[in-house]
Amino acid sequence: MDISVVGGDRHFQPSGNVVQEAKTAHERKAKRMSTDDLKMRAKYARKTSSRREGKVTNYYRDPYVSEYAKRRANGDCQLCEQRAPFYNMQGEPYLETHHVIWLARGSEDSIENTVALCPNCHKKMHVLDLPVDVTKLTNMAKEELPREAN
């Protein structure tokens, strides 16, 4: 992510480590939030992603949007509808967040455009991107996560 701070005649660009540490801190914070708080943060997150160009273009993905998509899936791939194939080191079902309409195609990083997929289905979407699958996932992304009981 190419971030710079400009003020007066000063120009500051933080190191990649500083940017990565901030991203990691936000991801940890998203994991600890209640679902209602997470939804509010994700809902009002910026709809565009920042990017850094080099040999590869990297899109910044909001950790709140990603975590909300995974919680909404509740451990099941939203394409094949099977349980996550394995658990991560924290004992959570391993799913990957996918943008139904890709960021590289000018889409939004929003809860209405993200789903959680098993690694096989995620790869399938990036290789085949079948219209029938896009339609199914578009509908899944619009579903609401049930509210938490207080």
Side-chain angles (χ1 to χ4, degrees), residues 103-120:
L103 296 177
R105 294 178 178 162
S107 185
E108 295 181 341
D109 185 28
S110 67
I111 62 177
E112 297 83 8
N113 188 45
T114 52
V115 292
L117 304 178
C118 69
N120 283 344

Side-chain angles (χ1 to χ4, degrees), residues 63-124:
Y64 303 110
V65 173
S66 178
E67 179 66 18
Y68 186 80
K70 290 175 185 176
R71 285 193 194 180
R72 184 175 51 209
N74 196 30
D76 296 330
C77 173
Q78 292 182 281
L79 186 57
C80 70
E81 300 179 22
Q82 298 297 308
R83 195 76 184 146
F86 58 91
Y87 292 85
N88 65 19
M89 296 295 285
Q90 292 74 40
E92 302 163 335
Y94 182 81
L95 295 171
E96 299 172 349
T97 304
H98 173 68
H99 291 84
V100 181
I101 308 301
W102 303 353
L103 296 177
R105 294 178 178 162
S107 185
E108 295 181 341
D109 185 28
S110 67
I111 62 177
E112 297 83 8
N113 188 45
T114 52
V115 292
L117 304 178
C118 69
N120 283 344
C121 286
H122 195 193
K123 183 56 78 175
K124 175 185 177 186

Side-chain angles (χ1 to χ4, degrees), residues 36-54:
D36 287 341
D37 288 343
L38 180 65
K39 180 182 178 185
M40 290 305 294
R41 291 294 291 261
K43 186 175 181 176
Y44 294 105
R46 67 179 156 200
K47 304 290 190 231
T48 58
S49 63
S50 55
R51 64 185 200 190
R52 178 181 180 182
E53 291 187 22

